[in-house]
Amino acid sequence: MSVTGISTSSINAIKGTEFEGMSIQMMAAMVMLEVGATKKKEAEFKIAEMKAQNDRAKQLNNLLDRMNAQLGAYTKDEDDDKKKRGEILGQFYLEARALGVDTSNWEFSRYELNNGVEKYTFKGKTAEQIRAITSQIQHMAENCNSDNQTQMVKLQDFMGQYNSFVSGASDQIKNANQILQGLAKN
């Protein structure tokens, strides 16, 4: 088996590019730095996603806290308490929908006022129905936090790849400098 060297024609093939006149080591270093920059951008994107998930978890927990503060006063399954719980759901309905909460089990009737403004009347809810609704919101917030933990592993991987490519580029630059110093001595 024979090993052939790199022909000068393949090196000349990069004439007219940003690599013209560079050593193989410097070209490799530039490529590694470019790939490293891509990994850094991916990590920055992942950080932004994680921040958005964290913000959403905070908003869901805040919604849940405010709902529970009001719902806690109505613990009986009598008609008046059921009605009050339905009214409380109505106060948080639009905010919950905006946060992606499935509100299909919140049941309401809708009618239009004279000036075209819609009014919602929420049906009364048993304590068990309220527990199901609040558990759903709590579960959503916990999923945001759990997803962030998974995303953290991916972020660490991107940062590891970034560090590896930057380190590789540095090694290539050192090799190129050592070759140049060796040639200068001769």
Side-chain angles (χ1 to χ4, degrees):
M1 180 165 123
S2 67
V3 178
T4 59
I6 299 173
S7 73
T8 56
S9 62
S10 64
I11 294 176
N12 290 336
I14 58 173
K15 279 190 174 190
T17 69
E18 62 184 288
F19 296 115
E20 187 174 354
M22 282 188 195
S23 69
I24 297 294
Q25 291 86 0
M26 290 303 287
M27 285 185 245
M30 287 190 67
V31 169
M32 287 180 180
L33 287 174
E34 188 62 35
V35 174
T38 300
K39 294 301 175 184
K40 182 179 177 185
K41 286 178 186 172
E42 289 172 357
E44 289 169 347
F45 179 73
K46 191 63 60 189
I47 289 169
E49 280 182 349
M50 291 170 63
K51 182 184 179 323
Q53 278 286 79
N54 191 48
D55 291 346
R56 183 166 182 250
K58 285 179 184 177
Q59 291 171 330
L60 287 165
N61 282 323
N62 180 279
L63 170 69
L64 188 60
D65 289 345
R66 290 181 290 124
M67 284 176 66
N68 282 334
Q70 291 187 37
L71 290 166
Y74 305 101
T75 58
K76 299 176 185 169
D77 268 338
E78 297 171 356
D79 287 344
D80 285 346
D81 279 12
K82 288 179 185 179
K83 182 180 177 189
K84 286 288 189 187
R85 286 191 287 260
E87 290 171 5
I88 291 168
L89 284 181
Q91 293 174 26
F92 297 101
Y93 175 73
L94 293 176
E95 181 180 355
R97 282 193 51 201
L99 290 172
V101 175
D102 176 11
T103 57
S104 60
N105 60 344
W106 290 30
E107 299 176 313
F108 61 87
S109 56
R110 181 181 70 174
Y111 60 92
E112 242 181 76
L113 298 177
N114 291 339
N115 58 359
V117 175
E118 292 180 346
K119 173 129 173 94
Y120 297 91
T121 303
F122 286 79
K123 295 180 181 177
K125 294 289 181 193
T126 65
E128 186 61 31
Q129 290 171 317
I130 291 296
R131 274 192 289 281
I133 289 169
T134 57
S135 291
Q136 173 197 13
I137 296 170
Q138 182 177 7
H139 184 71
M140 287 177 70
E142 289 169 356
N143 280 346
C144 288
N145 292 329
S146 176
D147 187 51
N148 262 355
Q149 291 173 354
T150 303
Q151 297 303 323
M152 181 59 79
V153 172
K154 291 178 182 178
L155 173 63
Q156 289 169 340
D157 183 45
F158 285 134
M159 292 309 299
Q161 290 178 38
Y162 168 77
N163 289 335
S164 177
F165 282 111
V166 170
S167 176
S170 176
D171 290 346
Q172 290 298 324
I173 292 169
K174 284 180 196 173
N175 290 341
N177 283 337
Q178 288 174 350
I179 291 170
L180 289 175
Q181 288 173 358
L183 291 173
K185 288 180 183 178
N186 293 331

